[in-house]
Amino acid sequence: MVQDRTEPRTSAETAGSEAGAIWDALHAAIDAHDKHARPRLERYWRYYRNDELQTRPSAHAAWRTPRLAQEAGLPDRITGGSALGDASSSRRREVVIENDIAWRVHAQVDFMFGKPVALRATAPSLDDRRRAAIERLADRIWEASGGVALLQDIALLGHVYGYVDLVVRADDAALRAIGTRLDGQEPDEATLLEAAELVRIEPVEPTRGVPLLDPGDYRRLLAFALTYERDAGPGEPDTDAHRPRGLFARRRETREGAPMPRRGRTRYTELFGPIERVVMQDGRVVARGAHAWAGGAPPIVHIQNVSQPFRYEGLGEVEPLIPLQDELNTRLSDRASRVTMQSFKMYLARGIEGFDRVPVAPGTVWTTDNPDASIETFGGDADSPSEESHLQQIREALDKVSAVPPLASGVVRARLGNLTSANALRITLMGLLSKTARKRVTYGAGIVRATALAMGALDAAGVLAIPPGERGFKIDWADPMPVDLRERAADARAKLDLGVPRERVLRDLGFTPDDPGVQ
């Protein structure tokens, strides 16, 4: 029998080899993301933003011809068959772009986070004083990270791309210093506010975030990469030095006449593993850090806009609207061309000399001795019922796909009926309200998980003892519909009669016990 001479590997060596395998797989995932996923995601953002693309001067004019991003979906018979970045074509027709995607996305974001939300601690073992302290701490962490504006940014990225990731960052050294200073004592309000400022919750744009998922469970995140570029600072290497300069490139000089160094672009990659974070600058490791408080997983929270089974990506709002947006822009451009050609009467004159030199105006008389002379008129805008019907059907299809009717943006096309205003609005906006309620499940779960991670960082640093059993939260969502003040006052009185604490009732109304005039 042959004896195996391979010596057993220590736990540290095994962990090191597993970490190396994770980093190698993550780098491969970054390359695949840049090649396949990123172009698709950037297309969604271009359609939502519809920004003006940079073009070169026209071949027929010295100025630049403006081009919008949504022109990419128009047929060649309208754009003239030239690429968006090329010079204008002489066959280019009038282009009309009506961005129906952006206002629908904005309306959904407003219904999601148009009003502040409140985090409530749910652990049954908490007393009122400790529960209030934890809730104030959680609220302060979110306010320090951006507050309602941060929530709106999260919702906007999720609606455009279909999903968004949150990274929870903590200044471990500063938090441990606070924990050492407390030495097991209960922190006061000022100390809690100081610690909350050291924890940040940041959204990650899907074009820059690359997940590495467990092959056996798509819901389990093994590692995560965050890539971005910025201008190189003073003393940093110029990564664009190898790029060839133009023949007539300007030589930038300082006031003393010395050549001014060019600012290159520096690429950063943050790798979040199960227990550590590695920062790389142009492929070189420049910093390391640990996040043991994350529970053996990357401090990343994944949020799907609308849940999609068995997929990491969620369902976005832009992707299904792109074909309809292209069709709408095409028909609007066709109508503009038809109106241009037919809105003015044109004349065909035969046998009349000088007709082309005299404008057609009241009081103008033409005379001729030619008995075969004639003047015929053609053109003039005519009604096109089929065209208007087609445009209306496209807009209705956009309403159905997005569940956002024009009423959500304040456009009232018909009477709401004989119901009360609130009930009529709810019935009219039933699709948008139900879709918002569905998305609150995924966004709410992500907010709760990010808050629990932030609490874990404070607990690990010894700032405030918050065991895992006390990190449960729920969200009190504000009603997106306008509510009568009398109805809100009646609801507040009913809550007080049921025994709801007075501070919570005031907070639901938008007040605090310290506000002037509140009794």
Side-chain angles (χ1 to χ4, degrees):
M1 181 177 63
V2 179
Q3 184 178 1
D4 187 5
R5 298 181 179 272
T6 303
E7 297 182 358
R9 304 172 65 184
T10 63
S11 58
E13 292 174 345
T14 304
S17 62
E18 292 177 355
I22 289 178
W23 296 139
D24 293 340
L26 193 55
H27 283 294
I30 293 174
D31 295 337
H33 178 271
D34 291 341
K35 184 177 180 181
H36 301 291
R38 187 170 181 174
R40 172 174 53 85
L41 295 172
E42 289 177 344
R43 178 170 177 259
Y44 299 160
W45 184 264
R46 287 195 301 269
Y47 261 83
Y48 153 73
R49 183 65 178 82
N50 192 33
D51 51 348
E52 184 176 326
L53 302 180
Q54 200 143 36
T55 58
R56 291 185 287 273
S58 168
H60 307 282
W63 57 83
R64 294 178 182 270
T65 303
R67 298 294 182 92
L68 299 177
Q70 289 187 10
E71 290 189 37
L74 295 178
D76 292 344
R77 59 182 173 83
I78 294 177
T79 61
S82 60
L84 292 181
D86 296 339
S88 299
S89 172
S90 59
R91 297 184 293 112
R92 177 179 169 84
R93 293 161 55 182
E94 290 189 55
V95 175
V96 179
I97 301 294
E98 181 179 328
N99 191 0
D100 266 40
I101 293 178
W103 73 264
R104 296 175 191 275
V105 170
H106 292 164
Q108 296 182 65
V109 173
D110 292 341
F111 267 69
M112 280 287 298
F113 294 112
K115 300 178 182 179
V117 299
L119 284 167
R120 307 298 186 195
T122 59
S125 60
L126 297 174
D127 55 20
D128 293 340
R129 185 184 61 82
R130 184 171 174 79
R131 188 186 307 275
I134 292 178
E135 290 177 357
R136 287 196 303 271
L137 180 59
D139 182 69
R140 184 60 183 174
I141 290 174
W142 280 97
E143 285 296 329
S145 300
V148 178
L150 171 65
L151 297 178
Q152 292 175 351
D153 291 343
I154 293 171
L156 177 61
L157 294 175
H159 281 69
V160 173
Y161 296 112
Y163 69 97
V164 62
D165 295 296
L166 306 179
V167 54
V168 181
R169 302 181 183 273
D171 191 340
D172 295 331
L175 287 175
R176 284 195 299 268
I178 296 177
T180 303
R181 188 177 66 204
L182 291 173
D183 194 18
Q185 298 180 1
E186 191 73 14
D188 55 9
E189 188 73 15
T191 304
L192 288 179
L193 294 180
E194 180 186 357
E197 295 287 342
L198 300 175
V199 181
R200 286 290 185 272
I201 301 174
E202 300 175 1
V204 178
E205 190 177 11
T207 55
R208 301 189 300 127
V210 182
L212 179 62
L213 305 178
D214 188 348
D217 187 358
Y218 72 97
R219 296 166 296 185
R220 182 169 177 263
L221 191 65
L222 296 179
F224 190 85
L226 175 59
T227 63
Y228 56 92
E229 292 184 356
R230 68 172 180 83
D231 291 335
E236 294 183 358
D238 185 1
T239 56
D240 291 343
H242 62 278
R243 188 172 56 186
R245 302 293 303 276
L247 181 61
F248 300 101
R250 294 179 58 187
R251 182 176 181 267
R252 298 180 297 172
E253 297 179 351
T254 62
R255 293 183 178 179
E256 292 76 13
M260 181 181 296
R262 292 185 298 112
R263 297 186 64 186
R265 301 287 293 177
T266 303
R267 181 179 178 88
Y268 287 86
T269 304
E270 292 187 67
L271 308 177
F272 296 89
I275 59 175
E276 69 172 345
R277 163 180 166 268
V278 179
V279 180
M280 303 182 68
Q281 174 183 343
D282 294 329
R284 297 178 292 104
V285 176
V286 295
R288 289 181 179 270
H291 45 258
W293 44 266
I300 304 295
V301 176
H302 180 62
I303 299 177
Q304 290 182 324
N305 179 60
V306 176
S307 60
Q308 185 175 195
F310 312 117
R311 296 291 300 274
Y312 184 82
E313 301 84 359
L315 299 175
E317 308 297 336
V318 175
E319 181 182 7
L321 297 179
I322 289 179
L324 293 172
Q325 181 67 64
D326 289 341
E327 178 68 13
L328 177 64
N329 292 337
T330 300
R331 299 310 165 192
L332 289 175
S333 300
D334 287 339
R335 185 175 67 175
S337 177
R338 179 184 63 81
V339 171
T340 301
M341 295 298 297
Q342 298 183 359
S343 58
F344 302 98
K345 284 188 176 181
M346 292 174 282
Y347 301 89
L348 176 61
R350 291 192 293 264
I352 301 178
E353 296 181 359
F355 188 84
D356 57 333
R357 295 190 297 271
V358 180
V360 178
T364 302
V365 179
W366 289 274
T367 60
T368 180
D369 297 332
N370 187 357
D372 297 327
S374 64
I375 298 177
E376 298 180 7
T377 63
F378 62 95
D381 193 13
D383 188 22
S384 181
S386 61
E387 183 180 67
E388 296 299 328
S389 176
H390 185 56
L391 288 174
Q392 182 63 26
Q393 291 174 3
I394 296 175
R395 297 186 190 279
E396 292 176 356
L398 286 166
D399 295 343
K400 289 186 290 186
V401 172
S402 64
V404 182
L407 182 62
S409 63
V411 179
V412 181
R413 295 180 178 176
R415 291 179 297 176
L416 296 179
N418 297 324
L419 301 176
T420 62
S421 59
N423 289 334
L425 284 174
R426 290 186 182 278
I427 292 174
T428 308
L429 300 174
M430 185 64 69
L432 179 56
L433 292 175
S434 60
K435 192 173 186 179
T436 301
R438 180 183 179 187
K439 288 186 289 191
R440 282 179 173 180
V441 175
T442 55
Y443 283 92
I447 293 173
V448 168
R449 290 197 303 272
T451 307
L453 279 177
M455 294 297 173
L458 298 176
D459 180 35
V463 176
L464 182 64
I466 311 176
E470 296 182 357
R471 300 175 192 170
F473 291 89
K474 71 174 184 178
I475 300 179
D476 286 348
W477 297 91
D479 192 345
M481 301 295 295
V483 180
D484 191 354
L485 294 178
R486 291 173 296 182
E487 295 180 2
R488 295 186 63 187
D491 292 340
R493 286 192 294 267
K495 292 179 180 179
L496 291 174
D497 295 339
L498 292 174
V500 178
R502 179 173 173 273
E503 292 183 359
R504 178 164 297 182
V505 174
L506 289 175
R507 194 177 303 169
D508 293 340
L509 292 174
F511 302 100
T512 61
D514 299 332
D515 289 341
V518 176
Q519 300 178 356

